[in-house]
Amino acid sequence: SAAAPTPSGGTPAGRADANDVVGVRLSRDSGGLFRLVLKRAESGEVYIGALLPSDSGDGRALLREGEVVAAIDGLTAGAAGFEGLLAHVKAAEQSILLEVRRRRQPQEEGGAALAHALGRLGLGQEAAAGVASAAVERGIDPAAAAGLAENLHRKGEEMKLGWQNAATQIGGWWRDRTEAAQEKIEAIKQAAGPALRETSEEVGHTLQQMREEVALKAEG
């Protein structure tokens, strides 16, 4: 079944695979033309012979010359034939939905793998797709880039695990040191307790003697 076109005229990026049908809406330009050339192959298939420049602002940039036409406004080449499709396009009012059979190229497959790998690194879906698309356009091997991204993800996970282990070890060390310090403080308190009591008793006894002496002198 045909993939639903987006408002901009094409199917969502990254959705197509070897068996998908991609739909793009083409519009007449200021001269009233679709600027689309259809051709018929010896096999009987209808394909895009040319996509001419247009000022319509439609989604033709998503199409490729040579792609096989699956249907136009739901009308298939098998049912209408080449002449029938041509007649339909000529009679169409302002726009047509052109559906083509889209087969991914190896670069596109690699681009999808790269986008997935970048997503695992924490990049948002749209940003990952944009970076992958840019890599394909610039001739960067997306499969190799995806492998690098996967390695970065794996190294990142290893570093995260390492930090977690280190934090656990530091926490255990601090806990042990704190408990040992508390034990020493308690020991000091216990050892100092009797001495403090004795000192307090002596001070109390001395004060009592001083009071008694003061009282005797006052009487004398």
Side-chain angles (χ1 to χ4, degrees):
S1 60
T6 63
S8 61
T11 52
R15 286 270 305 276
D17 59 27
N19 300 313
D20 269 350
V21 172
V22 178
V24 175
R25 187 163 293 281
L26 300 182
S27 302
R28 293 188 184 276
D29 63 6
S30 57
L33 301 175
F34 283 113
R35 302 293 179 182
L36 168 69
V37 177
L38 296 179
K39 292 186 177 181
R40 177 170 51 194
E42 293 183 0
S43 62
E45 291 181 323
V46 179
Y47 64 94
I48 298 175
L51 283 166
L52 306 176
S54 171
D55 60 6
S56 64
D58 58 20
R60 67 185 55 233
L62 300 174
L63 295 170
R64 304 164 186 165
E65 294 183 358
E67 287 186 315
V68 175
V69 175
I72 298 178
D73 291 331
L75 187 64
T76 65
F82 179 64
E83 299 298 336
L85 288 182
L86 288 181
H88 179 81
V89 172
K90 290 179 181 178
E93 295 184 358
Q94 192 58 36
S95 67
I96 57 173
L97 178 61
L98 177 62
E99 296 174 303
V100 297
R101 300 193 183 282
R102 172 65 53 84
R103 178 174 292 277
R104 274 189 182 173
Q105 301 300 318
Q107 285 289 92
E108 290 176 308
E109 293 287 352
L114 175 56
H116 175 71
L118 292 173
R120 283 167 59 82
L121 285 175
L123 203 60
Q125 183 176 1
E126 292 185 5
V131 172
S133 177
V136 172
E137 290 176 0
R138 286 166 174 72
I140 299 172
D141 183 357
L148 175 60
E150 288 291 349
N151 285 336
L152 288 174
H153 173 71
R154 185 168 59 254
K155 292 296 183 182
E157 290 298 313
E158 291 175 357
M159 290 180 63
K160 185 189 300 183
L161 181 61
W163 279 112
Q164 290 174 346
N165 291 337
T168 300
Q169 292 175 1
I170 291 173
W173 176 86
W174 179 255
R175 196 165 47 249
D176 292 343
R177 294 300 184 276
T178 302
E179 291 175 354
Q182 288 177 342
E183 289 176 357
K184 288 181 178 180
I185 291 172
E186 290 298 326
I188 292 172
K189 286 181 179 180
Q190 291 177 4
L196 289 173
R197 281 195 300 273
E198 291 177 2
T199 301
S200 177
E201 290 174 356
E202 289 178 2
V203 169
H205 180 68
T206 301
L207 289 174
Q208 181 62 32
Q209 286 181 336
M210 290 175 64
R211 283 196 294 268
E212 291 175 355
E213 290 177 0
V214 169
L216 288 173
K217 288 180 179 180
E219 290 176 358

